[in-house]
Amino acid sequence: MEKLQAEDARYLKRKVKGGSLDVHPTEKALIVQYELEATILGEMGDPMVGERKECQKIIRLKSLNANTDIASLARKVVEECRLIHPSKLPEVEQLLFYLLNRKKSDKREKHSPRDLAPFEGLELDEEANINRIDHYVELLYEDIPEKVRGATLILHLARNPDNLEELLQNETALGALARVLREDWKQSVDLATTIIYVFFCFSSFSQFHGQVTHYKIGALCMNIIEHELKRYDLWQDELQKKAAACDDDHKNQNVKKEHEKAFKKYQGLLIKQEQLLRVALHLLLNLAEDTRTELKMRNKNIVHTLVKTLDREDEELLVLVVSFLKKLSIFLENKNDMAETYAVEKLARLLPCKHEDLLNTTLRLLLNLSFDTGLRSQMVQAGLIPKLSSLLADESQRQLCMCILYHISVDDRFKSMFAYTDCIPQLMKMLFDCGESPMDPELISFCINLAANKRNAQVICEGNGLKMLMKRGLKLKDVLTMKMIRNVSQHDGPTKNLFIDYVGDLAAQTGVEEREEYVIECLGTLANLTIPDLDWELVLKEYNLVPFLKDRLKPGSAEDDLILEVVIMIGTVSMDGSCAAMMAKSGIISALIELLNAQQEDDEFVCQIVYVFYKMVFHQATRDVIIKDTQAPAYLIDLMHDKNAEIRKVCDNTLDIIAEYDEEWGRKIQSEKFRWHNSQWLEMVDNRAMGDDGEPFMYGDDGEPFMHNGDILERRDLFYSADGIIPADSTISPEFFIDYQNGDMGQAGGFPGSMNIDTFRQSTVTSGQRPATASGFRPEEQFFYS
């Protein structure tokens, strides 16, 4: 339009069309949309050149308030604004009434990470016009103040999204802005901030990212941010030196004034610098939508830069930095960089804080990082457990805090730390507040993890904790609540005795109509109750549990998890002699052997079944059945050298007891142990005996081998002697071994240091004594204290 007005005004013809009305979204103002058509006429009145432009006029109504006469104000607006036709007077009145009664927006503006808060330097004494863009570009070739003014006018245009398309087509303007930023950003922080803000407006829309990247604004922003952070460190060092000088000579007023002056200057510089960092980082955050661009930023150490910026105090800047880190944290490489730079320690400083957006964003970043074991350790070392526990009281942040704490509770090393915070009482209150409604899975999962620690379990059971849990679990048939109760029941000490009152209720849940996963938890809780004073025989009879246990031992009769719990339950009740006898009479031992055959590849099944045999061989009734009526000892001998250490341990203990009570099995067990212990030596002997060219000492004088294809166990002269006690000709009486095993050799002047230990370093028990328990002592053994 400026170009048209420059022509001869006698030949200019203007025409206005439209005049639609709308209200301003934030101000008390009306917006009139209209179309302006300008035509240049020739000397004969014929149209020669024409241009059409869409325009708008804003009518600000500063006097509009509760006492305003709407009708009078509407008439005044129509009379003074020729763009509004008089026929639209009722519409104007309606819009004015709407403006008067429209709810005021919250004065505390909230800026999402995608929105950039306004800053100082945007104020102008003139209104930017898209038609004068060429004039604004010319200002960019002047001195720094004029460059700042020209960039600010272009920024006012760019903040209106409707102008972006037109600005984008003006390559001269964008090229000039990019050139000025590249050449003069060190000379003026205001100039750099304003020009980056212009490109930020383009970066807010994905379709314009290509143009921003074309001018290499992202790489330039990275350099600017790195430079500004170095300047910040220099400012800090200089300020600390002046502060130290002031402390050393506190009576010198000149030094004190110089420090105060430097501090005020530092604050002013810091405000401008943080504005620059905010707009530059926000532009980079927008560009990071493209993962290829984000990878380039990572190669330039964007994570280290952001973590370093976490030391700032400006909350808006911190929200932006933490949001950027949260976006980057979903990639493994960036997460590792955050671990190396100890980002968690700096994030812990931000908790808790009053800025809601900063608090929420920080928690979301910590949640992303909490999936890593090493970073969880850093969180604990930074003291986040008590901080996050205190934030559970905030309903808006509760879910995030609970998820982070849940991840921390997965590690057994950190479970005990929750007992020394107010976390568990808050969780129990949340559980009970749920009533009979379903619980959040995060809440009950967190409680299940915590209950696996002994100290936490004691805190859970304080007051009526266990009573309320049992009431909810049994009434609602809640599987997860029962899983939590089961974890509590596994700990020895006072908490286990609290379950005596609920044994009957738990035993009654084993009915066939109950869900299998629910029965598993109830049965698992019962199996954990290794309480000496508990009368298991009465429980088995009253609730008819023996048939239930036997039926569930059949392979395929139920899920493996339930069958395994049944085996563990049998092992628990087998501590009682009368219960063990009931098991033997019911045929459960044969069912266990059949199950062992079916599940021989499952180490957990094998270990638990062998443990049942270990418990049963303590009692005469079940021991005789196992030794004489079954092939259980043979299975145990096969498992004696299993690759699983726990299985080997239980097998050894069980076989030791069997060997003490049955001589035939004792010889077989001893022979197998010898073969296994000396397997390499035996293999060498057999190989040389079978070879064609053997060593001379392997053969007798007549060339015949010593072995003569006999059993090597019959060659006692090959055994190692015990300090000359066993002669080389193997002439020794059985009575010697009996005296040796009874310890009489040591008492009757035998070899010193002799104890009740056999050749294979296994403790032995003379006949008639009760076998040792898993704890290594006999129940009837007397204890003497010095």
Side-chain angles (χ1 to χ4, degrees), residues 208-267:
F208 300 144
H209 284 186
Q211 285 73 12
V212 178
T213 306
H214 172 72
Y215 292 104
K216 299 182 179 180
I217 302 301
L220 191 54
C221 284
M222 290 287 295
N223 295 334
I224 292 173
I225 293 170
E226 185 178 353
H227 176 78
E228 291 299 327
L229 291 178
K230 291 179 180 178
R231 288 181 62 194
Y232 175 77
D233 293 337
L234 293 175
W235 295 345
Q236 291 278 49
D237 293 340
E238 184 180 351
L239 200 61
Q240 288 177 1
K241 290 178 181 178
K242 292 185 179 297
C246 185
D247 293 338
D248 294 339
D249 192 6
H250 59 276
K251 294 182 179 180
N252 192 330
Q253 294 299 321
N254 292 331
V255 175
K256 186 176 181 181
K257 288 180 180 179
E258 187 177 352
H259 174 256
E260 292 176 354
K261 182 180 178 180
F263 184 70
K264 289 181 180 179
K265 180 182 178 181
Y266 163 77
Q267 287 182 319

Side-chain angles (χ1 to χ4, degrees), residues 576-594:
D576 187 286
S578 55
C579 292
M582 291 175 62
M583 299 293 173
K585 293 178 182 177
S586 64
I588 279 181
I589 296 177
S590 301
L592 285 172
I593 294 176
E594 182 182 352

